[in-house]
Amino acid sequence: MPSALALGSNLSSPAGSPRQTLDAAVRRLEDLGHVTAVSRYYETAPVGYANQPTFLNAAAILETTLAPQALLTHLLAIEREFGRDRSHGIANGPRTLDLDILLYDDLVLGTPTLQLPHPRMHQRSFVLTPLVEIAPHLVHPVFNKSMGQLLEDLTKA
């Protein structure tokens, strides 16, 4: 199934700088399926907790046979490999690596551990901008709008 993923980093990890971390994370995603597209890396200001370094954000499309919860489990394991511990730290604070499932085909899912589509993706230009670069015509299964339309709506607001 095709899934859209968000990637972010603003701290060095065992792989190196945030850019090197994202490069290495994309290579690790290949262990979970086939990466069919990766956006450029976008420098973005932090949201929420402002006293931290600028982020590098990107998006990727991953074709995978993993079920959504299994995919999430693997993504969290990759984050840990790169030095992220979600049990500690500040909400929206600095991180070595952030991997989020934005969309999993057209699945709508709400469990205690996984919400699909990502519940805040339509409010975040740092998520939509890289996703629009690689998949502007993907449709949000709840709002029934393309990623391009969601980004346009956000920039008008």
Side-chain angles (χ1 to χ4, degrees):
M1 290 290 200
S3 58
L5 307 177
L7 298 83
S9 176
N10 72 340
L11 295 177
S12 294
S13 77
S17 69
R19 179 170 300 281
Q20 292 167 315
T21 298
L22 293 183
D23 288 343
V26 169
R27 288 191 299 273
R28 270 299 271 117
L29 291 176
E30 284 289 346
D31 295 339
L32 308 180
H34 177 63
V35 176
T36 61
V38 179
S39 73
R40 290 176 291 146
Y41 297 162
Y42 292 82
E43 285 192 22
T44 57
V47 172
Y49 181 73
N51 188 21
Q52 61 179 317
T54 298
F55 276 87
L56 277 185
N57 291 102
I61 303 298
L62 176 70
E63 289 282 343
T64 185
T65 58
L66 293 170
Q69 190 62 53
L71 176 58
L72 177 62
T73 299
H74 285 283
L75 294 177
L76 295 175
I78 292 170
E79 286 183 353
R80 285 189 300 276
E81 288 174 28
F82 286 86
R84 180 158 185 207
D85 180 357
R86 283 186 178 233
S87 68
H88 293 89
I90 302 163
N92 297 316
R95 61 203 70 175
T96 56
L97 180 62
D98 189 25
L99 298 173
D100 290 319
I101 305 171
L102 302 174
L103 299 167
Y104 186 94
D105 197 27
D106 60 358
L107 182 65
V108 177
L109 178 71
T111 73
T113 56
L114 181 59
Q115 299 264 322
L116 293 172
H118 189 286
R120 292 173 305 283
M121 68 180 286
H122 64 287
Q123 301 168 333
R124 296 176 166 177
S125 61
F126 66 88
V127 168
L128 290 174
T129 299
L131 188 54
V132 165
E133 177 191 328
I134 60 173
H137 301 297
L138 277 180
V139 173
H140 191 290
V142 173
F143 300 133
N144 199 31
K145 291 185 174 186
S146 72
M147 297 301 111
Q149 290 170 313
L150 290 175
L151 182 58
E152 187 177 319
D153 290 350
L154 186 60
T155 57
K156 287 180 185 175

